[in-house]
Amino acid sequence: MNSTKINMKNDVIKVNTYNFLIDNSIVHVKVDDSFLRTIKEKIIQKYGSLKQFNLQKLRICYTTLEHEFGINEYFKLIRLLKIIQDVSIPKEELFNHISAFFARGSHTRRELVLSKELIIDEEFVESYALYFAEGDNGSNGYTKPRKVRFTNSELSVLKHFKNWLIKYFPGNSYYFKVLIPYNKVFTKEHYNYIKDYFDLDDSRIKTQICKWKKRTGFVYRICCDQAILIDLILALESIIKEICRDNKKLAAAYIRGMMIGEGTAYFNKSRYVRIEMRNEKEIKYLAGLLKFLGYEYKINLRTTRENMWSIYIGAKQLRKFCDEIGFGVHEKRQEILEKAVNKKLRVNQYC
């Protein structure tokens, strides 16, 4: 496990979020003036002047560097890291002086506030996996998401994700978006219900009328227009998955998040749980977590749906699944699961 990015103390797992942004070319940081003066003094002591340092080391437009040390509000992080390394200032000291992040070219022109450390607990992992199931994450291979955008039809699931966003990335702006089919009316009562249910003011609710060929219902989204935040979320993937492979509670939380987004519970002629997706890598990772937790399951490539992978958990495993994983805040699926678990069976009956 990557110990340079993980801090574990008293069974609390933390990751240093700033370490996941140090190679990101769009990231600029707000640093307190006194620390910048200290860096500049060290440069002058070593090179005689800021201009000489630029000629020998950076070789960029000198005005750009001069402005970053003077009038600019933000400093490009990659460049600043290179500078402090040259004057023997550890990056951890720089991290202590960062108060906000900013992406040049951002349409929002808003700062991003990030805690230096992020606690990786069950609640974090569950909603993190949920975002990978239902949010824009670039897994289709065609586009790179430039904002956090989470879509779901269940308001309870959307509220769960909103609370996650507020808890783990506090102080940042988000909004609720309603996509309205052109043949439907978004009533005042509907608007007020959403406003009250999510505890939103009017500025956080946006609407858009859409013409869809297949969808006929309203589509709801929680959005945060922050390119740096979505880059951070995506950059955390490998370390989160690595942690879950070694921690059964977090493994269960990860599966639960995926099940909230993509899973289904069946209780009709037979009883089982299934999750389907076209992401082969992700479905095999989930299978590995289920194996780690001691589940019997079947994984296969569906013959009736092109490139669709499926994991099937049968009736004998439903009690264990319900007790350890379940469908969390997805009330409809959880209710079906509990009915399936509590079905009274005849002797030697499992379905």
Side-chain angles (χ1 to χ4, degrees):
M1 195 172 289
N2 194 333
S3 59
T4 62
K5 294 183 178 181
I6 298 175
N7 176 25
M8 187 167 181
K9 187 176 181 181
N10 298 326
D11 293 327
V12 177
I13 302 172
K14 297 180 181 179
V15 297
N16 188 314
T17 52
Y18 295 2
N19 271 326
F20 292 88
L21 298 174
I22 59 177
D23 297 319
N24 192 322
S25 61
I26 71 168
V27 176
H28 291 67
V29 291
K30 180 185 282 187
V31 180
D32 58 78
D33 292 338
S34 61
F35 185 64
L36 286 180
R37 284 195 296 270
T38 299
I39 298 171
K40 189 174 181 179
E41 287 168 4
K42 287 180 176 289
I43 290 172
I44 293 171
Q45 287 173 5
K46 186 173 180 180
Y47 292 93
S49 68
L50 192 62
K51 196 167 190 177
Q52 278 301 314
F53 168 70
N54 184 53
L55 286 171
Q56 294 181 42
K57 292 293 179 178
L58 297 182
R59 297 176 183 176
I60 63 171
C61 173
Y62 176 64
T63 303
T64 299
L65 183 63
E66 193 176 31
H67 284 183
E68 285 188 319
F69 273 106
I71 63 175
N72 285 5
E73 194 172 3
Y74 306 99
F75 209 117
K76 190 167 186 176
L77 180 58
I78 288 178
R79 181 154 49 240
L80 189 53
L81 285 165
K82 185 176 181 180
I83 292 170
I84 65 167
Q85 183 180 23
D86 191 84
V87 293
S88 302
I89 296 175
K91 67 178 181 181
E92 288 73 22
E93 187 174 347
L94 167 61
F95 290 169
N96 290 333
H97 292 274
I98 293 175
S99 59
F101 294 81
F102 188 80
R104 290 293 180 197
S106 170
H107 295 299
T108 63
R109 311 299 294 176
R110 291 195 185 101
E111 291 181 344
L112 175 68
V113 179
L114 287 175
S115 299
K116 189 169 65 172
E117 288 189 319
L118 194 60
I119 295 176
I120 308 302
D121 54 13
E122 291 176 68
E123 186 179 351
F124 178 86
V125 169
E126 179 184 305
S127 290
Y128 183 86
L130 174 59
Y131 184 79
F132 266 76
E134 295 285 80
D136 287 4
N137 58 54
S139 60
N140 60 16
Y142 299 116
T143 58
K144 182 180 180 180
R146 294 292 76 205
K147 66 172 70 175
V148 176
R149 186 167 66 175
F150 177 79
T151 307
N152 201 276
S153 59
E154 296 294 322
L155 295 184
S156 61
V157 175
L158 284 151
K159 190 173 186 178
H160 185 64
F161 181 77
K162 185 207 81 167
N163 292 339
W164 177 80
L165 204 59
I166 292 171
K167 178 176 179 178
Y168 293 96
F169 306 103
N172 296 297
S173 180
Y174 68 91
Y175 57 91
F176 188 95
K177 190 167 188 178
V178 184
L179 303 182
I180 308 166
Y182 72 97
N183 59 346
K184 292 210 172 187
V185 177
F186 186 49
T187 65
K188 185 66 175 177
E189 290 76 16
H190 193 169
Y191 178 93
N192 287 335
Y193 179 81
I194 287 173
K195 181 179 178 180
D196 293 341
Y197 184 77
F198 289 92
D199 191 23
L200 301 169
D201 56 45
D202 292 326
S203 65
R204 290 187 185 271
I205 303 176
K206 298 184 179 182
T207 60
Q208 179 182 339
I209 297 175
C210 300
K211 291 186 177 182
W212 292 306
K213 292 182 179 179
K214 294 182 179 180
R215 288 181 177 174
T216 58
F218 293 95
V219 173
Y220 307 108
R221 287 175 176 162
I222 296 288
C223 302
C224 178
D225 293 347
Q226 286 285 0
I228 295 175
L229 182 55
I230 186 59
D231 283 351
L232 172 62
I233 289 171
L234 298 181
L236 286 168
E237 181 184 5
S238 61
I239 205 77
I240 297 299
K241 288 183 172 179
E242 187 179 349
I243 292 169
C244 290
R245 287 191 186 99
D246 295 323
N247 186 304
K248 289 189 174 182
K249 288 184 177 180
L250 297 184
Y254 190 96
I255 298 169
R256 186 182 309 114
M258 278 288 169
M259 285 291 180
I260 294 170
E262 300 282 7
T264 311
Y266 293 86
F267 177 45
N268 197 351
K269 293 181 180 179
S270 57
R271 302 174 299 141
Y272 59 93
V273 166
R274 172 182 280 165
I275 184 167
E276 294 183 324
M277 61 181 68
R278 287 188 165 85
N279 188 332
E280 180 182 355
K281 183 179 177 182
E282 187 65 41
I283 206 80
K284 289 183 176 179
Y285 174 74
L286 289 175
L289 293 185
L290 287 167
K291 184 177 181 180
F292 174 52
L293 295 175
Y295 282 85
E296 295 177 10
Y297 61 89
K298 294 179 182 178
I299 180 172
N300 61 70
L301 183 61
R302 298 286 300 275
T303 56
T304 55
R305 301 180 68 186
E306 186 178 0
N307 298 324
M308 183 64 73
W309 287 85
S310 171
I311 292 178
Y312 168 94
I313 299 172
K316 291 182 180 180
Q317 298 279 290
L318 288 187
R319 170 60 68 184
K320 175 179 170 67
F321 180 86
C322 186
D323 291 344
E324 296 177 354
I325 299 173
F327 287 94
V329 296
H330 201 300
E331 297 167 358
K332 293 178 182 177
R333 291 176 188 165
Q334 184 64 26
E335 184 180 354
I336 294 171
L337 174 63
E338 290 174 3
K339 286 181 179 179
V341 167
N342 294 322
K343 178 183 177 181
K344 292 183 179 180
L345 303 175
R346 298 187 301 273
V347 177
N348 296 327
Q349 181 187 8
Y350 293 103
C351 296

